[in-house]
């Protein structure tokens, strides 16, 4: 039997460790898929519309038990203190039409802060379990409560990214 010596201050991760047996429950990353745009986009839609077709991320699940971490990062330009931006993820299955995922309400509300003409980080994340091996396309949709929206913010010189990580 091996002797394990524990230190009162914890494990030194610089030490070498040899493991035998099987580690379970840790999960595994199966794929990481990305899309990005560097241009700023604008709109004034008060119902959900696709942000940018260049942000579509295509993936074919490796199994019906695959899960997806969907992440969206950008800058949002707020031009009025009473406006806010909403983001929601949509998907297409096997080339079909796009529909909102997870539930019928938005998964992220943009910030409604006391800034006028400010550039704010906008992040949306979601875990989705589609239970299919059919080809999927994920894309962000956006809307505002009133006025205009600008994502990618030219003046902030940022890029917009969509990252879809498949895991089990």
């Amino acid at each position: 039997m091996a002797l394990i010596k524990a230190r009162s201050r914890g494990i030194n991760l610089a030490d070498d460790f040899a493991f035998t047996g099987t580690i379970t429950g840790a999960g595994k990353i199966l794929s990481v898929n990305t899309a990005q745009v560097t241009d700023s986009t604008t709109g004034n839609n008060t119902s959900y519309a696709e942000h940018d077709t260049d942000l579509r991320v295509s993936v074919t699940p490796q199994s019906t038990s695959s899960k997806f971490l969907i992440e969206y990062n950008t800058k949002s330009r707020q031009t009025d203190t009473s406006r806010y931006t909403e983001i929601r993820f949509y998907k297409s299955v096997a080339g079909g039409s796009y529909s909102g995922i997870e539930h019928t309400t938005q998964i992220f509300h943009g910030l409604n802060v006391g800034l006028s003409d400010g550039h704010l980080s906008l992040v949306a994340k979601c875990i989705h379990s589609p239970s299919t091996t059919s080809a999927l396309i994920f894309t962000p949709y956006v809307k505002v409560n009133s006025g205009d929206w600008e994502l990618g913010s030219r003046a902030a010189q940022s890029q917009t990214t969509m990252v879809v990580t498949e895991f089990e």
Side-chain angles (χ1 to χ4, degrees):
M1 176 192 291
L3 177 63
I4 298 174
K5 187 175 180 182
R7 299 177 185 175
S8 62
R9 65 180 191 276
I11 297 174
N12 182 353
L13 295 178
D15 291 345
D16 292 327
F17 298 92
F19 294 97
T20 59
T22 304
I23 298 173
T24 61
K28 182 167 92 173
I29 293 177
L30 302 173
S31 68
V32 177
N33 307 278
T34 63
Q36 69 180 23
V37 295
T38 55
D39 297 335
S40 178
T41 53
T42 60
N44 58 7
N45 47 297
T46 56
S47 59
Y48 284 109
E50 190 170 15
H51 173 183
D52 189 317
T53 58
D54 289 336
L55 288 171
R56 291 179 180 176
V57 176
S58 300
V59 62
T60 301
Q62 293 186 22
S63 76
T64 56
S65 61
S66 289
K67 294 180 180 154
F68 294 89
L69 171 61
I70 306 165
E71 301 173 275
Y72 169 87
N73 297 285
T74 192
K75 292 279 188 185
S76 172
R77 181 173 180 229
Q78 301 296 117
T79 57
D80 187 295
T81 58
S82 65
R83 294 183 185 150
Y84 61 88
T85 304
E86 295 179 23
I87 302 295
R88 184 173 179 202
F89 295 119
Y90 277 58
K91 76 174 178 190
S92 167
V93 179
S97 60
Y98 286 89
S99 60
I101 64 170
E102 293 301 315
H103 43 71
T104 58
T105 60
Q106 67 276 359
I107 60 167
F108 178 82
H109 267 259
L111 299 175
N112 183 6
V113 297
L115 291 175
S116 181
D117 203 19
H119 297 271
L120 307 169
S121 292
L122 190 98
V123 177
K125 295 183 181 189
C126 164
I127 293 179
H128 180 56
S129 303
S131 300
T132 185
T133 55
S134 296
L136 301 172
I137 302 172
F138 295 103
T139 189
Y141 275 52
V142 63
K143 74 174 183 175
V144 290
N145 65 325
S146 67
D148 299 328
W149 56 265
E150 180 180 349
L151 297 175
S153 298
R154 289 180 294 258
Q157 299 177 350
S158 67
Q159 64 185 12
T160 300
T161 60
M162 230 347 234
V163 179
V164 178
T165 304
E166 180 182 8
F167 64 99
E168 59 180 25

